[in-house]
Amino acid sequence: MKIVTFVLCTLLSLKVFSQNKIEKYLDSLDIEVNNSPSYALKKQYEINQLKKNLEAASFLQDKYSFCKRILVEYSKYQADSAQYYLNKWYEYGKQSNDPRWEQEILLYKAYIQTLRSDFTNANHVLSLLPSIENIEPELRYLYARIQFERLLHINNLAENKDSSLNIRIWNKYSPYISPTDVYYSIYYTSLFPQKITDSIYTILKTEAERAPNATPQKAFLQFCLSHLYEIKGDTEQSFIYAICSAITDIQMVNNDSQSMLYIIQLMSQYTGGKDQLGRLYRYTQFCSDNICDYKDLGRSLQLIVIQNQVQKMYKQFISQKQQRYSATLIICLILIIVAAGIAYASVRRYKKKIKDITDVTQDYQQQQSLIPELRRESKIANDKINALEAEIERKNNFFTESLRTQVSLVTKFSQTKKTLLNLITTSQLREAKKLLSDSLLNNNELNQLYESFDEIFLSIHPDFVERFNKLLTPEAQIILESPQKLTIELRIYALVCLGVTDSISIAKLLNYSPQTIYNYRLKIRHASVIPEKDFAKTVMNMYKDNLPDNTTENNE
């Protein structure tokens, strides 16, 4: 038993140590992700120096060389800029006498399109070139590398890899890459991981250590080792090499990188991704930014799949969290119910013991002592009601007087208009000039006065239309065209609600004839669901607590 316990403790401690080691590497990766903008600035500064050299170059050969170097720098950094300098390089190439310039430019064009997973255009460009046997000898290495890069990108996107295609491509193009070249080992291990032996592992690790820092070779070797260690079942080493590859890609500003996507996959599978949701989000956003900058269609599809996995993991985490909260809440509710039940039972037992005639008498006396207090509170409530009614009446009077003043002003200005017109017609220009110092109201201004009345009235009585419609039959319901503008009928009865009940006063306020006002009121009364004789009083008392009495609309 002691031996079993010792073994379990040892395995647990090793697992914790492994997780801590990976966590340290992830912390280093976090630092590099934060420093990525500074690396990009440094990269852009170096490219800008090359651009200055290109502008200063006098000889065509120098321009051709600098343009090619800028293209190479942009090839894994910004594909659009690489395409721009590729076109510029093409123009310089046409002016040179180099017989291989066109083939070299087409190869680089196909290379960039391959890195962006634009296989259709890449295949079209390659179709413009002769077969590898007939191409310029010094360009065959680049041609072979493009074929292998294209195959690796296809394998990354394919669900089921075609092993026979891997063999055909390897047999055809591997002779053009020296076995001592680092990319020979990279392509072989990427295409045939099942054939890797321990000795090859050692060679790859040695080459990865010897490769210069911040170079594509080093990043590629580290990525291959990560993939191979995952196949081998060594998750820790797979993580470490994937993180090292991502750090190398960030340092050299390689936006054509698979390592960060691979890290996200490993984290979601092996490290309890729910505990790393913050990192997963940052890394996913970092990948998304690089892919958008590089416009890589292939990695965009891969990122969508990974994002779906992360989103599913996040939903599971939220669901589990909600389940824990729900369980805690249920337990708390049960405890509260039990406590309430115990308290209730205790109170009942206590009441049964003390309940007697003396208690009934005391309760009666207590109720009697509360009567003066209740009367006082009732009086206070009645005083408040009276004050509110007085306030309502004051506001109603205020709005009525305000409207009466405004209409009077409009009438006065209208008379002034007529007087001015008569003066102009009779050529009394001096008298007309005196009147021009006063501003005249027109119908639009009069409408604005009424709309102002509507807005103020509805702000005080926002449910007036709803209450008014309850007094009408369903087919006679009034619907406002504008939420803050009353119809003529509603405006008439708004005045009635304010206490202006006779049609003559309403006609003066609304600038209509008394007969028109009477006709509108008659139409509304005919559509009433209550007796017509009670309608005006009901509207007038709409915001008062008293019921309508037998007052009729004789004053209409």
Side-chain angles (χ1 to χ4, degrees), residues 1-11:
M1 185 66 183
K2 292 182 179 179
I3 296 175
V4 174
T5 304
F6 174 78
V7 172
L8 290 175
C9 292
T10 303
L11 292 176

Side-chain angles (χ1 to χ4, degrees), residues 18-46:
S18 176
Q19 291 177 346
N20 291 337
K21 187 176 181 181
I22 293 173
E23 186 70 21
K24 290 180 180 179
Y25 276 92
L26 288 173
D27 290 339
S28 300
L29 179 58
D30 290 339
I31 294 173
E32 295 301 323
V33 170
N34 293 333
N35 292 336
S36 59
S38 62
Y39 292 126
L41 289 175
K42 181 180 178 182
K43 177 85 169 181
Q44 192 61 52
Y45 173 79
E46 294 171 354

Side-chain angles (χ1 to χ4, degrees), residues 2-244:
K2 292 182 179 179
I3 296 175
V4 174
T5 304
F6 174 78
V7 172
L8 290 175
C9 292
T10 303
L11 292 176
L12 182 61
S13 62
L14 289 175
K15 182 177 181 180
V16 171
F17 174 76
S18 176
Q19 291 177 346
N20 291 337
K21 187 176 181 181
I22 293 173
E23 186 70 21
K24 290 180 180 179
Y25 276 92
L26 288 173
D27 290 339
S28 300
L29 179 58
D30 290 339
I31 294 173
E32 295 301 323
V33 170
N34 293 333
N35 292 336
S36 59
S38 62
Y39 292 126
L41 289 175
K42 181 180 178 182
K43 177 85 169 181
Q44 192 61 52
Y45 173 79
E46 294 171 354
I47 293 175
N48 289 339
Q49 294 300 116
L50 290 174
K51 290 179 181 179
K52 290 180 181 179
N53 293 336
L54 175 61
E55 293 176 359
S58 302
F59 298 104
L60 179 62
Q61 187 61 36
D62 292 337
K63 293 180 179 181
Y64 185 93
S65 176
F66 283 124
C67 198
K68 178 180 178 180
R69 288 178 61 185
I70 295 173
L71 165 66
V72 172
E73 291 295 326
Y74 270 129
S75 62
K76 287 181 174 291
Y77 173 39
Q78 291 180 356
D80 286 343
S81 298
Q83 186 66 42
Y84 171 82
Y85 280 95
L86 182 68
N87 296 334
K88 204 166 187 177
W89 188 27
Y90 180 87
E91 295 299 324
Y92 292 137
K94 285 197 301 184
Q95 302 174 34
S96 69
N97 295 321
D98 190 344
R100 64 187 182 91
W101 70 268
E102 186 172 9
Q103 290 184 354
E104 186 176 19
I105 289 173
L106 288 175
L107 284 173
Y108 270 99
K109 187 174 184 179
Y111 177 64
I112 294 171
Q113 290 168 344
T114 299
L115 295 181
R116 297 172 71 170
S117 301
D118 187 1
F119 302 128
T120 302
N121 288 324
N123 291 339
H124 173 69
V125 173
L126 290 175
S127 67
L128 301 176
L129 293 165
S131 61
I132 192 169
E133 298 87 357
N134 298 319
I135 208 168
E136 292 292 329
E138 59 270 27
L139 298 178
R140 293 172 187 172
Y141 171 78
L142 178 58
Y143 192 105
R145 282 198 55 196
I146 292 172
Q147 293 294 340
F148 284 123
E149 293 285 350
R150 173 171 164 273
L151 182 59
L152 292 180
H153 278 71
I154 292 174
N155 287 343
N156 285 332
L157 296 174
E159 294 183 2
N160 299 316
K161 299 178 177 58
D162 187 354
S163 57
S164 60
L165 177 63
N166 293 352
I167 295 173
R168 288 198 306 272
I169 296 296
W170 178 258
N171 291 337
K172 183 173 181 179
Y173 295 104
S174 61
Y176 299 97
I177 300 178
S178 171
T180 59
D181 191 292
V182 66
Y183 282 105
Y184 186 93
S185 301
I186 289 173
Y187 294 141
Y188 183 80
T189 54
S190 300
L191 296 176
F192 309 107
Q194 68 279 4
K195 297 182 179 181
I196 305 304
T197 62
D198 291 338
S199 59
I200 296 179
Y201 272 101
T202 304
I203 294 172
L204 290 176
K205 288 170 66 176
T206 303
E207 290 181 347
E209 292 172 358
R210 291 177 178 175
N213 293 329
T215 59
Q217 296 93 329
K218 192 177 190 69
F220 215 153
L221 284 167
Q222 291 168 334
F223 181 76
C224 289
L225 285 167
S226 174
H227 183 60
L228 293 175
Y229 272 110
E230 187 197 8
I231 295 174
K232 195 175 182 181
D234 191 339
T235 306
E236 178 183 330
Q237 287 299 319
S238 179
F239 256 116
I240 291 173
Y241 276 110
I243 294 170
C244 291

Side-chain angles (χ1 to χ4, degrees), residues 274-289:
K274 65 182 181 180
D275 299 325
Q276 299 283 353
L277 283 174
R279 271 199 176 109
L280 283 172
Y281 176 80
R282 291 197 302 273
Y283 294 167
T284 303
Q285 188 62 41
F286 181 80
C287 288
S288 178
D289 293 341

